[in-house]
DNA sequence: GTGGGCGGTGACAACGTCGTCATGGGATAC
DNA sequence: GTATCCCATGACGACGTTGTCACCGCCCAC
């Protein structure tokens, strides 16, 4: 706070930074339809029709109204519009954090899809996944000007808040197994994880070690379950999973332990960031990737192509997930129904340079 | 689109994925104050007072109203409230992309600060920085239910849209030198870049090479300018800057060229992602970091601690920037004034393992 | 020439909330 | 016991927009 510099650095700047200065107030009462109507010499009803592109306004009148709108800088008041129409044309997105790439990519896709449909996105971040935080967010949510809600978090955490989602609001949830109670859209976590494991087994590895995501994430759970199932299905030993929390740092810690396991030749990290940490740990301990140890991630974040070595990973189609979320929520809104069930979006593997057959042909 | 799998994967799932099913409509007309008032046997005015925590309601009555509200699941209608009060308690954020870490971190900080102040965030993404896109966004923006706007983009691009920001809306801009026309909050780009260069010079490097951000980014421009100025100030040769676009991939391409410059011992990448690409390129060409070449980044993204080697970088205080943006915009809103000038938030260096003195003592 | 129909426009009400003012009843002080 | 004051509550209207319906004038058909 006290370290803030105002207007420093004037010596070198092309445009010298200046002290913030106040200007005289400039905000006058907002211009309403009535004002436009008066200027154009018509009724406000006609202004409304022009504003909404309704037919039944003669071209001459229309031009006059448009001119008046422009002259006064008229902007329709969306509050009044929403009050009358009962819809805000806004979708609320509730999520814990923008720190994980998955959330961000999904949010971006949601925002773009929503924009295409003429909907805006209202962000509802929950700082920390504590009960109080979530409850607070949902109390605010209740008053929020949204027609629908997309929840990007494990639904258990919602339940923990002893707060049910506002009634009369359509909801789509991600990262959840609550398909029996909500409409859920998700990446095919199981399929992706299975592909990852099979890829490594196909390369000739005896088994695959696993760095998990956080326990309370359904996605993480699913990936771990599928990893175990794929190994068991192939009749391979199942090494103890190493706990992670999506961060590169936790991946590094897990990687330190893996580096000490001489029989470990293949690792499946539950996301790319943790894979990054694993790569560093292995590198620091002189375990060459992929010659000695293969590493595969999950997500296909843009940076993963620049890891050392470039990471083989499971691509998530975030754009499709986002699109499906928006579609789902708007469909419920329009048909006035509530849907349940799970929609899965497939993944695919992106093979780069971090996976190879195990050393000495094995 | 046609690759989407609905309800697949039922074999292994703890909760089998199911086909989305429709339920009978469940949405009834929303309950209003009048409904609550009727049930509680009071006037809607009293409900209003309870709802807003206004004094002058006897405890007994209050409890009755609260009970009625709970029973009916009453949620205040924010449209009506906004219409009456003239404010939405919402801040619009317009940005191009959520692909760069800086934007995301800033957005997150803005969202958190805004939430603290009881404001929601409405996201206004602009898919591509073409004139049409921006103009479209701003047209929508004009009708948007926001009290204020924070622009996270170079203001030149706004101007290109031949569209002025809606009048009567307070605005704060980031990544811009338009402090003479708007209120601008920014990281002290110049200071940070200067620190980065000086750090490398202090280590004994003859000069510092530079991978730039995109041309149309003011932040990138500033970092490049400060890099050049710091070198000139020290009387060092100024190598040709290598163009980048914030992505790791572009950093890799620049790194390939740097790897071929034998006299290059120190690199300043304009962000951490590009530094990641540089690290890979150097690694692939057998140029050891930091023993042969030092690399410094800018941003201090969480992953940078897990790069190989962990990256020395300039920390940006995104939280502070976000807070200042929100503060600025709300201050303008409350005082009904328009501010101009630039506020700079200082950076600091985080020293990790990617920088060291140049080889052979030089 | 007159009646019917239709297209363009305006008047009015209502959406849900909250500020303002009015009202009524109870408590306090004499 | 009565006058005064205050506090709790209610009635009413307005915020800006839009749906509904009424209206007016014109054109066309008979």
């Amino acid at each position: 706070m006290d370290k803030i510099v105002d207007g420093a650095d004037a010596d070198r700047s092309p445009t010298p930074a200046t002290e913030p200065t106040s200007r005289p107030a400039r905000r006058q009462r907002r211009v309403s339809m009535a004002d436009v109507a008066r200027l154009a010499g018509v009724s406000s009803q006609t202004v409304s029709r022009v504003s909404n592109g309704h037919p039944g306004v003669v071209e001459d009148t229309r031009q006059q109204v448009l001119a008046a709108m422009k002259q006064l800088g008229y902007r329709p008041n969306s509050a009044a519009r929403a009050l009358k129409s009962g819809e805000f044309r806004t979708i609320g997105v509730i999520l814990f954090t923008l720190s994980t790439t998955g959330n961000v990519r999904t949010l971006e896709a949601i925002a773009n899809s929503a924009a295409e449909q003429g909907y805006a996105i209202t962000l509802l971040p929950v700082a920390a996944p504590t009960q109080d935080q979530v409850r607070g967010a949902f109390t605010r949510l209740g008053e929020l000007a949204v027609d629908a809600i997309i929840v990007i978090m494990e639904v258990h955490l919602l339940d923990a808040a002893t707060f049910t989602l506002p009634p009369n609001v359509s909801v789509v949830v991600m990262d959840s197994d609550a398909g029996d109670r909500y409409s859920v859209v998700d990446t095919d976590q199981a399929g992706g994880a299975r592909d990852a494991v099979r890829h490594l087994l196909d390369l000739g590895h005896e088994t695959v070690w696993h760095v998990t995501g956080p326990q309370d994430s359904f996605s993480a759970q699913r990936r771990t379950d599928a990893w175990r199932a794929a190994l068991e299905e192939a009749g391979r030993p199942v090494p103890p999973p190493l706990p992670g929390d999506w961060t590169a740092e936790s991946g590094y810690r897990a990687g330190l332990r893996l580096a000490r396991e001489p029989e470990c030749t293949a690792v499946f990290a539950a996301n790319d960031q943790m894979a990054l940490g694993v790569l560093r740990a292995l590198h620091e301990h002189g375990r060459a990737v992929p010659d000695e140890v293969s590493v595969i991630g999950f997500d296909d974040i843009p940076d993963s192509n620049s890891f050392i070595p470039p990471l083989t990973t499971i691509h998530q189609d975030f754009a499709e997930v986002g699109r499906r979320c928006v579609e789902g929520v708007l469909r419920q809104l329009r048909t006035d129904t509530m849907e349940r069930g799970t929609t899965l979006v497939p993944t695919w593997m992106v093979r780069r340079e971090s996976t190879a057959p195990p050393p000495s042909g094995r």
Side-chain angles (χ1 to χ4, degrees), chain A:
Chain A
M1 273 305 202
D2 44 2
K3 296 166 63 185
I4 301 311
V5 181
D6 276 339
D9 188 49
D11 49 345
R12 193 186 288 79
S13 334
T15 308
T18 53
E19 294 284 332
T21 52
S22 287
R23 287 285 169 142
R26 46 136 196 184
R27 205 164 300 124
Q28 60 276 31
R29 220 176 49 53
R30 268 190 61 167
V31 11
S32 77
M33 273 195 173
D35 302 318
V36 177
R38 205 171 307 120
L39 179 59
V42 298
S43 77
S44 56
Q45 188 49 231
T46 299
V47 178
S48 168
R49 280 188 268 257
V50 171
S51 173
N52 295 349
H54 285 190
V57 180
V58 89
E59 185 57 24
D60 226 32
T61 316
R62 213 177 73 84
Q63 288 305 333
Q64 283 220 339
V65 172
L66 287 177
M69 290 192 345
K70 189 164 185 182
Q71 181 181 334
L72 296 176
Y74 169 73
R75 297 190 297 138
N77 180 320
S78 40
R81 185 173 281 180
L83 176 59
K84 194 80 181 88
S85 69
E87 58 168 28
F88 300 95
R89 297 196 74 77
T90 296
I91 300 172
V93 177
I94 176 168
L95 38 61
F96 276 149
T97 170
L98 291 173
S99 297
T100 62
T101 319
N103 280 3
V104 173
R105 299 254 79 77
T106 308
L107 174 63
E108 185 172 29
I110 288 172
N112 289 335
S113 291
E116 271 174 27
Q117 306 276 326
Y119 277 74
I121 290 296
T122 287
L123 219 55
L124 204 73
V126 186
T130 66
Q131 288 210 11
D132 277 356
Q133 287 284 348
V134 179
R135 192 171 317 131
F138 275 78
T139 307
R140 274 181 282 138
L141 192 66
E143 314 187 357
L144 215 56
V146 300
D147 303 315
I149 292 172
I150 296 174
V151 177
I152 308 187
M153 75 170 83
E154 172 48 77
V155 96
H156 295 155
L157 296 164
L158 293 188
D159 298 343
T162 63
F163 191 103
T164 48
L165 287 163
N168 305 340
V169 172
S170 64
V171 176
V172 166
V173 181
M174 283 196 46
D175 190 16
S176 181
D177 60 355
D180 55 328
R181 291 184 296 144
Y182 296 101
S183 183
V184 172
V185 175
D186 204 355
T187 289
D188 184 4
Q189 312 286 353
R194 190 175 48 225
D195 289 348
V197 171
R198 286 191 184 156
H199 167 64
L200 291 167
L201 295 183
D202 288 349
L203 283 172
H205 293 271
E206 167 68 16
T207 187
V208 177
W209 294 62
H210 177 50
V211 183
T212 75
Q215 295 288 335
D216 54 6
S217 160
F218 171 72
S219 311
Q221 192 83 52
R222 264 286 176 94
R223 291 174 201 177
T224 299
D225 291 346
W227 157 77
R228 181 177 288 113
L231 286 181
E232 286 170 353
E233 190 179 293
R236 305 302 173 87
V238 179
L242 300 165
D245 61 8
W246 295 142
T247 65
E249 196 56 35
S250 72
Y252 177 69
R253 286 192 298 270
L256 289 180
R257 292 179 51 189
L258 290 169
R260 273 187 258 111
E261 302 280 351
E263 74 275 25
C264 169
T265 64
V267 182
F268 165 42
N271 79 349
D272 285 356
Q273 287 173 290
M274 296 195 297
L276 175 65
V278 170
L279 290 177
R280 171 160 79 107
L282 293 174
H283 176 86
E284 287 182 2
H285 286 71
R287 305 265 283 163
V289 177
D291 295 339
E292 294 177 55
V293 183
S294 288
V295 176
I296 191 166
F298 202 111
D299 277 357
D300 191 22
I301 65 176
D303 290 352
S304 63
N305 187 35
S306 291
F307 289 178
I308 301 173
L311 188 71
T312 297
T313 187
I314 303 297
H315 181 90
Q316 284 206 64
D317 193 352
F318 290 111
E320 183 63 29
V321 171
R323 194 175 320 132
R324 297 233 143 198
C325 282
V326 172
E327 265 174 20
V329 102
L330 291 185
R331 187 175 52 241
Q332 292 186 52
L333 201 60
R334 285 175 185 145
T335 60
D336 225 25
T337 56
M338 177 180 175
E339 296 178 1
R340 304 174 184 216
T342 301
T343 303
L344 293 182
V345 177
T347 60
W348 58 87
M349 192 178 71
V350 179
R351 182 150 186 202
R352 299 208 183 90
E353 301 166 31
S354 67
T355 52
S360 65
R362 191 287 228 309

